[in-house]
Amino acid sequence: MTTGFDTQEQPTITTMAHLTVHVFGNLTIRRGPVMLHGHQLGGPKPRQIFEILLVNLGLPVSKDRLIELLWGASAPVEALPTLESYVSVLRRHLQPGEGKFGPLQTRTGGYVLDRNLVDTDLDQFDVLLQRAQKTIPGLAYPLLLRALDLATAPLLGDELVPAWAAEARDLHAARLTSARILASETAAALHRIDDALEFANLALADEPLNERAWTALILGLETSGRHAEGLQAYDRCRHAMQNELGCSPGSILRAAQLRLLHATADGDGDLADVLSALLMLHDQLRVSPASGPASRPATTSMRPELVADSLREATDVVTSFLRRVVARA
C-alpha cells in the first residue's frame, strides 16, 4: 500500500485493523474480538462521518462535501479543523495505535474507508444483487435470498434526522425493490410460485406503482391458475396507474389480462358465461374506426369514445363479478 510516508514507519498489513460493520439496523463494528456500537465512536458527528464513508465504501469523500453533509448552511467558521479533529477521534476508536494507516485513510482533500480492510452488510447486499443479475435462475436465487436476508432491518437505523441518511435510504430502497422483483421473477422461473407471489407483493408494498412488480404478481397468479385473482390484481394495477400517473398498464400486462379473461371464460359457471359475452363484445368493438366503412359493416362503425365507454363498462361488470366470486370463495 502506497501512502507517501517512509515505509519503515508503517505497520505491516497483517497488523492493520480489519473492520466488519453492520449498517442495517443499529450500527455495530467488530474489530477482532472487540465489538463497538455507534455511541462508542466519540459522539454524533464522528459517528456520522463514519457512516457517510461507509455508504461510500472505497470512494473518497472530500472534506468540503463532509462539511456540507454534516452542517449544511450552518457550518461553523472553524468547520475544517473541527472536522479534522472529529476524524482523529474516530481513528482512535476504530484503529487505536495505527493513526492514518488503518482502514480510515486520508486522501488528497478528503477521507476514504479502504474496501480491503472494511466489510459491510450493505456492500455484501450490493455484491450479491449484482452477481444474481448476471447468472442463471438456479444460481441467482440463493444469492438473492442471502441478499434479502441481510437487508431485513432499515439502513442506518441510528440516524433518523440527517438528509444525507434519508438519501442513502432512498437509494438502497430502490435497490431492495429491484432485488425483490428479481427474486419474484427468478422464483417463478424455478416454479416456486408461492415465493414469487410473496416477493412481488413485498415489492408492491415498497412501490405501489412499479409496473414490473405488478407484472411479476399477475404473471405469477396466471401461472398458478388463480385467474380471478390475477384479474383482480390487474384491475388494482389499472386503477392505481390511471389515478396516480394518468396512464394504462403496458402491453405485457394487457396481454396477460386478455389471457386471464379467456382462461376464465373457458371454464364453467356464471362467470364463464359473463366473460364469454364480454369477450365477444370486445372483439366486435376493437375494430378501429379508422379502417373505414369498406372494411366492416356500417353498424359497427362506432365513435372511439363510445368504444372506450363500452369497454370500461365491460371491465366494471367483470370486476364487480370477480369481487363477489372471490368474497364467496
Side-chain angles (χ1 to χ4, degrees):
M1 180 179 65
T2 302
T3 63
F5 292 88
D6 184 343
T7 55
Q8 304 222 346
E9 297 178 8
Q10 300 178 29
T12 64
I13 191 68
T14 56
T15 65
M16 286 188 181
H18 190 286
L19 305 179
T20 301
V21 186
H22 291 278
V23 294
F24 292 123
N26 297 328
L27 181 66
T28 59
I29 307 103
R30 181 175 292 280
R31 186 187 69 241
V34 177
M35 178 70 77
L36 298 172
H37 298 276
H39 65 276
Q40 298 174 297
L41 297 178
K45 285 291 191 285
R47 182 190 70 230
Q48 289 178 2
I49 293 168
F50 184 50
E51 290 169 337
I52 292 168
L53 296 176
L54 283 171
V55 298
N56 293 278
L57 183 63
L59 300 174
V61 181
S62 71
K63 294 179 181 180
D64 289 341
R65 179 60 175 159
L66 285 169
I67 290 171
E68 178 186 354
L69 293 175
L70 291 173
W71 288 288
S74 58
V77 175
E78 301 296 321
L80 181 57
T82 302
L83 171 68
E84 292 170 344
S85 69
Y86 285 149
V87 171
S88 296
V89 170
L90 186 56
R91 279 180 168 140
R92 287 199 298 271
H93 288 86
L94 292 176
Q95 49 204 50
E98 296 181 352
K100 297 181 179 181
F101 304 116
L104 174 51
Q105 299 175 4
T106 300
R107 289 291 183 268
T108 303
Y111 304 99
V112 65
L113 284 174
D114 188 341
R115 182 181 286 275
N116 295 319
L117 297 176
V118 181
D119 293 324
T120 74
D121 46 3
L122 174 61
D123 189 53
Q124 291 174 36
F125 173 90
D126 288 335
V127 169
L128 288 167
L129 178 56
Q130 291 167 11
R131 288 174 56 194
Q133 290 169 333
K134 298 176 182 177
T135 190
I136 60 175
L139 298 177
Y141 195 58
L143 298 176
L144 290 165
L145 293 181
R146 286 167 55 193
L148 292 170
D149 187 56
L150 287 171
T152 54
L155 179 66
L156 298 171
D158 291 329
E159 296 297 345
L160 303 179
V161 177
W164 62 263
E167 181 179 352
R169 288 193 196 98
D170 289 342
L171 291 172
H172 169 67
R175 294 196 295 270
L176 180 59
T177 299
S178 294
R180 285 171 169 164
I181 295 172
L182 183 57
S184 176
E185 295 167 343
T186 305
L190 298 173
H191 307 291
R192 304 174 66 101
I193 302 303
D194 288 342
D195 290 350
L197 297 177
E198 179 181 356
F199 285 125
N201 279 313
L202 287 171
L204 285 170
D206 295 335
E207 295 185 18
L209 298 176
N210 190 305
E211 186 164 356
R212 187 179 161 201
W214 280 112
T215 301
L217 175 64
I218 292 167
L219 294 184
L221 290 168
E222 179 186 13
T223 301
S224 65
R226 294 154 67 175
H227 301 139
E229 291 181 57
L231 288 169
Q232 277 198 315
Y234 179 87
D235 184 62
R236 295 197 306 273
C237 172
R238 181 176 63 86
H239 278 291
M241 290 188 172
Q242 285 180 344
N243 293 339
E244 299 296 330
L245 302 177
C247 65
S248 299
S251 58
I252 295 176
L253 281 176
R254 293 198 304 271
Q257 182 208 26
L258 193 58
R259 290 195 305 271
L260 289 165
L261 286 168
H262 279 289
T264 308
D266 288 339
D268 297 324
D270 294 339
L271 178 58
D273 294 338
V274 170
L275 290 178
S276 295
L278 290 172
L279 287 170
M280 184 178 298
L281 173 64
H282 175 272
D283 289 339
Q284 292 173 345
L285 295 178
R286 69 180 178 178
V287 180
S288 170
S291 302
S295 63
R296 64 177 185 276
T299 54
T300 62
S301 180
M302 299 175 64
R303 296 195 306 275
E305 61 270 19
L306 294 181
V307 173
D309 289 343
S310 297
L311 292 177
R312 192 177 300 110
E313 291 174 6
T315 301
D316 290 342
V317 170
V318 173
T319 301
S320 176
F321 196 97
L322 286 172
R323 286 172 181 161
R324 294 199 302 273
V325 169
V326 173
R328 293 199 299 266

